Amino acid sequence: MAEVEINAVSKAFGKTQALSDLSLTIGNGEFVALLGPTGAGKTTALRLVAGLEQPDKGSIRIDGRDVTGDAPADRDVAFVFQQYSLYPHLTVFENMAFALRAPTRRVPEADIRAKVQEIARLLHIETKLDNKATQLSGGQMQRVAIGRALVRSPSIYLMDEPLSSLDAKLRGELRLELKRIQVDLGATILYVTHDQTEAMTMASRIGVIEGGRLMQIGTPREIYENPVNAHVAARLGQPVINLLPAALFGGAPAGVETVGARTEHLTIARSGGDVSATVKRVEHLGDQSHLHLDVAGRPVVTLADPEAGFGAGDVVSLRLNKPLFFDARGWRVAA
Ligand SMILES: Nc1ncnc2c1ncn2[C@@H]1O[C@H](COP(=O)(O)OP(=O)(O)OP(=O)(O)O)[C@@H](O)[C@H]1O
Ligand SMILES: [Mg+2]
């Protein structure tokens, strides 16, 4: 494993600026997630580190060595692709052993066997090693795709939304396992996703990327509690942060145009708050409810205790507690 440094890298495809001036260091043994919507430049960032694309500007260093001009094979990175592809005619074992069998590596057969078995155990697919890749469930195929990378000990694992094709339950399970494996192996991982839960639960640091620009990088807590702008604030948190005109509430610092209120910034009472709201709809999620409110014609969504007994048509009162403040351009203003 090694430290990987992306230094002021830009990349355009024709007229599309896929990445602009991206700088990011992934420390040895660190799990960094790039979080962003579709088209943000996430896959492009991984492909540049892998050497599958050349940057227009900037450089990439692995373990202190400038690899910008190096071919993918000379970079010692392992890639789990967004569209995972297994060799259908090979067994799970052979799929996982594939990279270790490269002629240049000359790994002894006994070592290959031991390594594949170790990783298959970690991924809970050890009983499937003799199956053809086609004789697996989607979740198992995804594990094999990850396993193919994990059998190697590269300088960095590059993972492109490796859990995205799974259902929610499997995704939750594999998320936990992948994190445990990363810690066990001391692996350095650059992981890209549009799923905030994956980023929050697995990454030691999250980079929020949008339109090819890195907007903020920090621990999940820093990003959640201290977003630099309204874009970043809206990336994390469920239900999504409510962005409301400051004029609705009064009492905001000078220069504040927008108030950002997450569930924890809102207290709902029958009366006595800062502003009145009408309950439009209550979505029952089981242990909690989503309360859809109308505040002076603006939609506001917050969580509520199902026991609180709010129903459509109720008029309630909202109180703000230490919300986030943003200026006219969406940048954060100190409270
Ligand atoms: N080979 C290419 N040729 C032309 N345009 C490309 C190419 N690869 C990427 N792009 C464009 O660059 C931008 C970033 O693409 P990228 O694949 O990095 O996004 P992404 O964040 O991985 O999105 P997704 O979440 O949908 O996978 C997009 O606008 C995309 O259309
Ligand atoms: Mg992508």
Side-chain angles (χ1 to χ4, degrees):
M1 292 291 125
E3 180 178 282
V4 174
E5 195 185 320
I6 302 169
N7 201 350
V9 163
S10 294
K11 177 70 181 175
F13 298 103
K15 286 195 175 118
T16 307
Q17 192 66 42
L19 273 183
S20 302
D21 202 24
L22 175 68
S23 290
L24 173 66
T25 299
I26 303 110
N28 191 6
E30 200 183 9
F31 191 133
V32 172
L34 282 179
L35 175 68
T38 183
K42 305 181 299 294
T43 298
T44 303
L46 293 186
R47 290 176 60 83
L48 284 160
V49 175
L52 299 169
E53 302 286 355
Q54 278 296 311
D56 302 330
K57 271 192 264 176
S59 63
I60 291 161
R61 290 174 170 272
I62 296 181
D63 221 4
R65 186 169 65 92
D66 189 331
V67 299
T68 317
D70 291 2
D74 299 329
R75 296 193 184 197
D76 190 27
V77 302
F79 208 130
V80 180
F81 290 94
Q82 191 166 7
Q83 309 298 340
Y84 61 87
S85 49
L86 304 178
Y87 300 107
H89 56 289
L90 296 183
T91 62
V92 168
F93 182 92
E94 288 304 328
N95 265 285
M96 287 178 66
F98 199 85
L100 300 177
R101 292 213 196 281
T104 48
R105 284 187 214 276
R106 298 173 202 229
V107 184
E109 189 58 30
D111 294 357
I112 293 179
R113 197 150 283 280
K115 192 70 196 176
V116 169
Q117 273 162 358
E118 176 200 338
I119 299 298
R121 256 196 311 280
L122 285 177
L123 289 166
H124 303 307
I125 46 174
E126 70 269 35
T127 60
K128 302 286 178 190
L129 286 172
D130 296 329
N131 283 41
K132 288 270 168 54
T134 47
Q135 302 167 319
L136 299 171
S137 71
Q140 289 161 347
M141 283 192 222
Q142 195 109 39
R143 285 164 200 258
V144 177
I146 295 169
R148 292 177 63 183
L150 291 181
V151 295
R152 297 179 46 199
S153 306
S155 37
I156 188 166
Y157 296 102
L158 303 170
M159 299 194 176
D160 196 350
E161 315 218 28
L163 309 184
S164 61
S165 68
L166 301 178
D167 67 48
K169 180 167 176 287
L170 261 179
R171 210 158 55 222
E173 284 170 22
L174 260 185
R175 206 167 67 211
L176 278 172
E177 283 168 27
L178 196 54
K179 182 64 197 174
R180 174 179 52 80
I181 292 167
Q182 184 255 335
V183 172
D184 285 357
L185 299 177
T188 308
I189 299 183
L190 179 57
Y191 186 104
V192 312
T193 182
H194 62 265
D195 182 319
Q196 55 168 305
T197 312
E198 284 180 16
M200 287 292 274
T201 53
M202 291 192 288
S204 41
R205 283 186 305 150
I206 298 175
V208 178
I209 184 171
E210 197 146 330
R213 290 191 181 275
L214 184 67
M215 296 204 151
Q216 187 171 2
I217 174 123
T219 64
R221 228 180 133 171
E222 280 163 3
I223 302 277
Y224 183 83
E225 289 176 6
N226 235 340
V228 293
N229 60 31
H231 272 299
V232 174
R235 265 289 127 217
L236 293 182
Q238 279 164 325
V240 67
I241 192 167
N242 298 289
L243 297 169
L244 297 163
L248 279 181
F249 302 96
V256 172
E257 282 284 318
T258 306
V259 167
R262 292 195 169 110
T263 286
E264 61 269 32
H265 303 131
L266 290 170
T267 314
I268 312 163
R270 296 284 172 187
S271 62
D274 300 319
V275 67
S276 88
T278 308
V279 178
K280 290 303 218 188
R281 200 149 50 88
V282 182
E283 277 181 309
H284 291 291
L285 304 173
D287 58 334
Q288 283 177 312
S289 296
H290 274 173
L291 215 54
H292 294 258
L293 303 165
D294 178 293
V295 179
R298 312 245 167 193
V300 168
V301 184
T302 187
L303 288 174
D305 186 344
E307 302 291 318
F310 293 113
D314 288 0
V315 175
V316 297
S317 189
L318 284 183
R319 169 161 298 150
L320 282 179
N321 335 299
K322 301 194 187 136
L324 304 178
F325 296 125
F326 302 98
D327 69 14
R329 300 182 59 204
W331 292 99
R332 186 80 182 281
V333 178

